[in-house]
Amino acid sequence: MPTTCDYDIAIVGAGPAGSACALALRQSGLRVALLDKARFPRDKVCGDAIPGQAFKALRQLDPAFVAQLGQLQPRDDVRDSRLVAPNGASLTLQWKLPSFNSPRETFDAALLELVRAHSNTEILESTGLKTLAIEPDYVRLTTTTAQEITARLVIGCDGANSVVGRRLLPEPRLARAHHCVGVRAYYENVAGASSGTTEFFLSSDYLAGYVWLFPVGGGRYNVGLGMLAEIVAAHKVDLKQILTRVLATHPELAGRFAQARPLGTIVGFGLPLGGGRVRPISGARFMLCGDAASLIDPLQGHGIDTAIQSGILAGAQAAACFERQNFSAGFMREYDAQVAHKIGRKLAKSYRLMRFLSNKAWLVNAAVRLARVPGLKPWVQRAIG
Ligand SMILES: Cc1cc2nc3c(=O)[nH]c(=O)nc-3n(C[C@H](O)[C@H](O)[C@H](O)COP(=O)(O)OP(=O)(O)OC[C@H]3O[C@@H](n4cnc5c(N)ncnc54)[C@H](O)[C@@H]3O)c2cc1C
């Protein structure tokens, strides 16, 4: 065992989960390294809708963080969502929490800047995790830059293809019923889109998924399609092809995209959904957060909020580990329990609702119709989450 480790904590991945975790540890006095294989600003395939709950969690750390993020450019402040049912009827729902859309290239870099400005975290960019070994008293990491790093604790915030998770948990078979596949493209010159409104288009062609159209500021729109991996695999669906077809043929979207200009190509990425069978997300000397812990909302596909929430919970648990000098798997399970209580229960409810609605276009049509009855809209809004 090395008598001194390079760091107390190594956080792998500087997305929302990793940056939030570093921010949560900013006053702990612990030596924290935050490493990422990318150099920021970097892109992340996403819808770029930062959920209100993400800001709520950051505000609890320090309201100034949210005030600073609120100045970001480009961004589009969001007030409501418009839901277009398979039969073309639509429903607009007002958001309770303030929120905005901003390209992840901008948002994640700004979050990392907060870490740089408000903590002593050592930020190691262009430094990918290669191998990882848990020794009895420390963790040994090797990186793509041929460095060896030792720490007392490692926190895996390295996203959907987490190396930390793959090394430290028994490899689960990809559970397609609990994974989504998503594709995204940027467009400009989209007709009829209004600032402040995110739009969701449901169709019986791609139920258990939806097409989104989100303004992200500067006249740009994030357009995408997400679908359950189970359906993608069973029907050999080509999401890029479907998205292109929908934008050309959907009764409403076709007209709105007639003069739209694509900015770049359609790109895709996986979404590990929460709300399934509970599996461990920690063990002796490690914890997983965000996508690495499969915490994406199965109904709506958002995971930036749960990444930030879990990063903050992991930061608190890490501080408790050092206080008690207890890094055992048993003590770490406190973190799993916190995540299950504060995040998991809601995700389980979302998962059940997503499965229930997935082959029932008629029910989505009926819910949109029902929400137009005075007094019933709040009930529908609560059911959707
Ligand atoms: C198509 C699509 C649309 C989505 N739309 C939305 C949306 O609109 N709103 C929303 O809230 N969520 C959305 N999500 C989900 C959201 O993107 C994720 O839940 C969120 O990014 C999770 O944050 P994270 O910090 O856990 O992981 P990430 O944001 O993926 O960050 C992980 C970081 O780890 C780094 N990394 C990876 N491997 C290594 C390694 N070996 N060594 C070092 N660093 C490493 C990566 O470079 C990255 O910076 C969407 C996802 C997809 C795929």
Side-chain angles (χ1 to χ4, degrees), residues 139-158:
V139 186
R140 184 156 20 98
L141 300 86
T142 64
T143 70
T144 49
T145 49
Q147 275 172 279
E148 185 175 290
I149 293 175
T150 54
R152 298 281 172 210
L153 184 67
V154 64
I155 305 181
C157 301
D158 48 343

Side-chain angles (χ1 to χ4, degrees), residues 149-291:
I149 293 175
T150 54
R152 298 281 172 210
L153 184 67
V154 64
I155 305 181
C157 301
D158 48 343
N161 303 317
S162 171
V163 173
V164 180
R166 272 187 280 136
R167 299 261 166 193
L168 300 182
L169 288 176
E171 182 90 50
R173 281 187 47 228
L174 179 74
R176 291 201 172 108
H178 297 278
H179 264 79
C180 242
V181 192
V183 293
R184 169 224 80 186
Y186 287 112
Y187 278 82
E188 60 183 10
N189 210 35
V190 177
S194 57
S195 167
T197 302
T198 57
E199 296 181 87
F200 300 85
F201 296 83
L202 296 142
S203 159
S204 39
D205 286 350
Y206 46 83
L207 270 183
Y210 57 81
V211 166
W212 68 82
L213 171 57
F214 296 166
V216 293
R220 284 205 294 166
Y221 295 86
N222 181 318
V223 185
L225 166 66
M227 210 187 264
L228 203 58
E230 194 178 65
I231 295 172
V232 171
H235 301 278
K236 298 198 172 25
V237 174
D238 182 333
L239 285 178
K240 293 182 184 176
Q241 221 172 57
I242 295 200
L243 180 62
T244 310
R245 196 184 69 213
V246 169
L247 298 183
T249 60
H250 184 279
E252 178 180 331
L253 290 171
R256 293 175 57 184
F257 274 79
Q259 304 298 323
R261 272 186 302 277
L263 305 164
T265 52
I266 304 179
V267 282
F269 204 68
L271 295 88
L273 306 179
R277 192 169 55 85
V278 177
R279 64 173 191 117
I281 50 170
S282 71
R285 296 192 181 275
F286 80 92
M287 286 175 269
L288 301 175
C289 307
D291 281 9

